[in-house]
Amino acid sequence: MMTPLEQLLTALHDAQVEFVIVGGVAARAHGSSRLTDDLDVAYARSPANLARLVKALAPFAPYLRGAPPGLPFDWSIATLRSGLNFTLTTSIGAIDLLGEITGGGPYDALRPHAITVTAFGRELQLLDLPWLIRVKRAAGRPKDLEVIAELEALQEEMG
């Protein structure tokens, strides 16, 4: 049985969506012990990539997380184009689509700071540890600040 994380990452990868894994899942991949309940990805905002993203997630009924049930929400290229960051719930798990992240910028600025990792039989892009620490520090939320010390210790261990 695939986990929600595996299903989400597989759907994005197999649809050839251009994205970089950031946030808690990236921290876990680098060795953090903290659990996270959603997938955060920075995504390319090109028209072709927006189309791939819409197609990849459409089967999982994306809906705005925290929005009242029944609120009209159109999962479409136009919706993605008119917004930037989306916190979504899907039938297989929560995903945050980030057109830009504090301290890191848009996908194109993050991509050079990503490393390739293999997970679930697929090559995925993951924000590297120095940049993950940088964006967590820039976000400045208590949960981000708490994980920075652990990430810095992991970075030190790696030399």
Side-chain angles (χ1 to χ4, degrees):
M1 182 73 176
M2 283 202 288
T3 64
L5 178 62
E6 183 177 358
Q7 287 180 285
L8 286 166
L9 287 171
T10 298
L12 294 173
H13 176 276
D14 292 356
Q16 299 180 321
V17 173
E18 294 173 79
F19 69 98
V20 174
I21 302 166
V22 299
V25 171
R28 288 281 298 180
H30 283 297
S32 170
S33 61
R34 295 181 180 268
L35 295 175
T36 184
D37 57 0
D38 68 347
L39 172 63
D40 300 321
V41 299
Y43 66 99
R45 302 227 354 119
S46 68
N49 201 57
L50 296 182
R52 290 188 293 264
L53 188 51
V54 166
K55 184 179 178 190
L57 294 181
F60 310 112
Y63 193 72
L64 294 172
R65 195 160 64 240
L71 183 76
F73 177 67
D74 178 36
W75 177 245
S76 67
I77 296 167
T79 297
L80 287 178
R81 205 175 21 241
S82 66
L84 186 64
N85 295 340
F86 297 87
T87 57
L88 302 171
T89 182
T90 73
S91 60
I92 56 171
I95 185 169
D96 292 356
L97 302 176
L98 308 170
E100 198 169 280
I101 59 176
T102 304
Y107 170 85
D108 291 337
L110 295 168
R111 182 65 187 84
H113 304 284
I115 58 171
T116 302
V117 297
T118 302
F120 312 119
R122 286 153 177 87
E123 288 193 349
L124 303 168
Q125 298 303 308
L126 178 76
L127 196 58
D128 70 25
L129 196 48
W131 269 67
L132 184 59
I133 292 167
R134 172 190 169 134
V135 300
K136 291 259 178 217
R137 184 170 282 120
R141 300 173 304 184
K143 70 177 188 176
D144 293 313
L145 298 175
E146 288 170 13
V147 78
I148 288 173
E150 182 184 28
L151 294 175
E152 286 176 333
L154 288 165
Q155 187 176 27
E156 208 170 281
E157 282 176 29
M158 296 162 115

